[in-house]
Amino acid sequence: MRISDALRVRDIIANNPSIKVNNVSPIVADDMALYPYISYKRVGAEFDAWKRANGVAKVTMELAVWSDDYDESLRVAEQVMDVLSAEQGIYIQNCLEGYENGAFYQDITITVE
């Protein structure tokens, strides 16, 4: 496990044809990004030097599904959760929602081990 394993999660989402988004980008999307899109960021890393060669035991990430349509944000978030929950070593922890700058978001928290 490495902190760069976030790229694995990005690739799973970006390359899955059942997840219909225009962009998957780290931390924030481009100002010109079209809805729906997903932004992701690492929000934590647990270290265990005894169990892992590089010390990282698991990484916690937040994935935000953004859309100007509430129903669409839910549909895409459910697609993301379905795809990621089928992957070994990826666990869904939480899902919150909100509204910011004229867009709805579904914020999915996962851990990657």
Side-chain angles (χ1 to χ4, degrees):
M1 175 83 237
R2 302 175 58 83
I3 59 172
S4 61
D5 282 351
L7 301 176
R8 173 180 157 231
V9 173
R10 177 203 60 199
D11 291 344
I12 291 168
I13 294 168
N15 296 321
N16 191 298
S18 70
I19 300 174
K20 307 282 192 242
V21 293
N22 292 308
N23 191 16
V24 179
S25 58
I27 305 177
V28 295
D30 182 288
D31 289 339
M32 303 304 287
L34 301 174
Y35 295 120
Y37 66 82
I38 297 173
S39 60
Y40 64 92
K41 64 182 176 181
R42 183 182 65 252
V43 295
E46 291 184 24
F47 293 86
D48 186 343
W50 296 105
K51 291 185 179 179
R52 305 280 194 263
N54 64 359
V56 179
K58 69 179 174 180
V59 170
T60 302
M61 295 178 62
E62 286 182 0
L63 311 167
V65 176
W66 294 88
S67 178
D68 57 354
D69 178 90
Y70 179 76
D71 292 350
E72 181 179 55
S73 72
L74 285 174
R75 278 192 304 274
V76 174
E78 288 176 345
Q79 292 167 352
V80 168
M81 290 190 291
D82 288 346
V83 167
L84 292 181
S85 63
E87 293 287 324
Q88 185 172 0
I90 298 177
Y91 305 97
I92 308 295
Q93 299 299 319
N94 199 3
C95 186
L96 304 170
E97 64 183 3
Y99 185 82
E100 186 177 307
N101 297 326
F104 298 95
Y105 65 87
Q106 303 297 323
D107 194 32
I108 305 164
T109 304
I110 66 170
T111 54
V112 183
E113 296 181 359

